[in-house]
Amino acid sequence: MTITYTEEFSTLLFQWRGSVWKAVLKELILFYILYYIIMIFQFFCLDEQGRIYFAGYISLCAKGLNYIPLSFLVGFFVAIVVARWWEQFNWISWPDKLMMTVAACFPGKKNLNIRQTLARWSSLQAATAWSGVSVRSYKRFPTEKHLLNAKLFTDEEYKMYTSIQAPHGKWFIPTLWSLNLISNLYRRKKVDPLQFKMLIDHIYSYRDGFSMLYVYDWIKIPLVYTQAVAIATYGYFGLCLIARQPRTDEHSLKEQPALLFPILTTFQIIFYLGWLKVGQYLMNPFGEDDDDFGKLNYILDRNSYIAKMMAVEVADQYPRIGSIGMTEEIPHTKASFSIPDTIPKSLSVEVPKEGMKIVNTERLFNAKHEIEEILDDS
């Protein structure tokens, strides 16, 4: 699930779950192992002439790093992935508007069964659809029998649903049931045309969220670009294994001391590789990584509760109209009043009295035209 945090940045640096440290730790350890193997080879296996040759390879690899536009590749990749990640979250369906409309169109105890059925079908729709795109939801409802055990199906609905042969998926069946029920009520004059249109529009809108999640799950970011970014990133740090080695020949040691720990390269690994890991984790937001949308099970529970509450408990509920008017000024608490508000101001531009005089635009235009003619003649 996406890690929620409210602490200061200084505290967040030491958080482990969902952190950049956890994301890059394995690659960082592997880099250090290979880096120091090469360094030991330099110090103990090469003579002076070999170290001079090796210094040439260090220079060659250092120049090669300039040919990899790592910032552009990784930055553009992560920008696409993050935008796609947020769009998928925005397509998560919520039944609130649908159930508010249902409660308004089907008031009273006589319509209680209709409201309850539509509420349950909204949860059934979410469970069947999300199980097809979310690993966590699938683990909760791996078979249709689990939906029956969760009382999202009745026995009749379960038999009807399982009897449908749909090689391309049938997650939309609960939506179709809702549409058929509303259409039947419309034909029986239980709802008027305006209510019918409102209900149909909300059902379609509710269904669109599930459909779009299937589209995002189906159409991925092109593999060639993902591979190019991964090869560029790991290739860059592969070159760094040589390019960031200390020069151990005598001439180089006289000019500058050998830096035995690659501190700057470590920062680059944390930044660039952490950046790449962000993109990799967010490519499939409905998996089981720390930053995936692991809240779909909670959202299903929340939506089911809200739908039932709107259908049963508060469908016909509203307080008695009182005689108390609205106050002109809403009171503050001491804590809120101590925080100054920024009050919007109207445009404050001072215009001198001379500039406020009304002029004859036709006379000004003619005068301007005469001046232009005089200038042209001269």
Side-chain angles (χ1 to χ4, degrees), residues 182-236:
I182 299 298
S183 298
N184 181 267
L185 293 171
Y186 175 67
R187 288 192 296 269
R188 291 161 51 194
K189 308 298 183 182
K190 298 292 184 179
V191 292
D192 59 43
L194 179 60
Q195 291 174 330
F196 177 72
K197 184 180 185 306
M198 290 171 56
L199 289 166
I200 294 297
D201 288 344
H202 281 299
I203 291 174
Y204 282 150
S205 177
Y206 186 64
R207 175 259 178 202
D208 287 344
F210 304 111
S211 176
M212 287 303 300
L213 291 185
Y214 268 87
V215 171
Y216 277 109
D217 185 66
W218 176 35
I219 305 298
K220 306 290 186 181
I221 294 175
L223 178 62
V224 62
Y225 188 62
T226 306
Q227 289 177 332
V229 174
I231 292 172
T233 304
Y234 288 107
Y236 182 91

Side-chain angles (χ1 to χ4, degrees), residues 60-70 235-240 243-244 268:
L60 182 63
C61 291
K63 291 180 181 178
L65 295 178
N66 297 326
Y67 294 100
I68 302 177
L70 193 60
Y236 182 91
F237 291 110
L239 288 176
C240 284
R244 303 298 166 78
Q268 281 190 310

Side-chain angles (χ1 to χ4, degrees), residues 101-113:
T101 307
V102 168
C105 294
F106 300 106
K109 291 184 178 180
K110 63 179 180 179
N111 291 317
L112 177 60
N113 287 338

